[in-house]
Amino acid sequence: MTMDMDGQSANMTVPACHDLMGATVARLEAEEGLKGVIFASAKKTFFAGGYLNGLPEAEAGDNANKARLNEDKGFLRRLEKLPVPDVTAINGAA
């Protein structure tokens, strides 16, 4: 799996990343004959982190933002539970 968020200078947890991660996890879980997963980045920085533009919404008590972040953690847990090895090829900062 190669992360490459279109229109972004770095991969980060923008709302589009959330949707793509959910779809990717579901696809990996359904993949027959999967032998392993390698995570990589097409950007110079592997992953820049959080979506800072979403902080004002979170501070204002936006429960949808909090729910999305909790679901993101769930995606990572589902990846961890795949019955195949997974590795991450980190280039640059993470």
Side-chain angles (χ1 to χ4, degrees), residues 1 15 19 35 37 54 63 67 74 80 92:
M1 180 178 104
D19 297 339
K35 301 290 185 200
V37 181
N63 289 331
E80 180 183 10

Side-chain angles (χ1 to χ4, degrees), residues 18 21-22 25 71-80:
H18 170 83
M21 182 61 104
V25 170
E71 193 172 16
D72 287 342
K73 290 189 293 185
F75 295 152
L76 296 175
R77 179 67 176 135
R78 287 168 54 195
L79 286 171
E80 180 183 10

Side-chain angles (χ1 to χ4, degrees), residues 13-92:
T13 56
V14 296
C17 177
H18 170 83
D19 297 339
L20 289 169
M21 182 61 104
T24 300
V25 170
R27 182 176 170 193
L28 289 170
E29 289 171 329
E31 184 76 27
E32 291 187 31
L34 187 67
K35 301 290 185 200
V37 181
I38 300 172
F39 296 97
S41 173
K43 308 278 190 206
K44 289 175 82 174
T45 298
F46 179 77
F47 200 83
Y51 178 56
L52 299 180
N53 292 338
L55 285 178
E57 297 166 357
E59 290 175 351
D62 179 5
N63 289 331
N65 188 47
K66 183 177 180 180
R68 187 181 74 245
L69 292 173
N70 282 329
E71 193 172 16
D72 287 342
K73 290 189 293 185
F75 295 152
L76 296 175
R77 179 67 176 135
R78 287 168 54 195
L79 286 171
E80 180 183 10
K81 293 174 75 176
L82 287 172
V84 297
D86 60 84
V87 298
T88 304
I90 297 176
N91 57 302

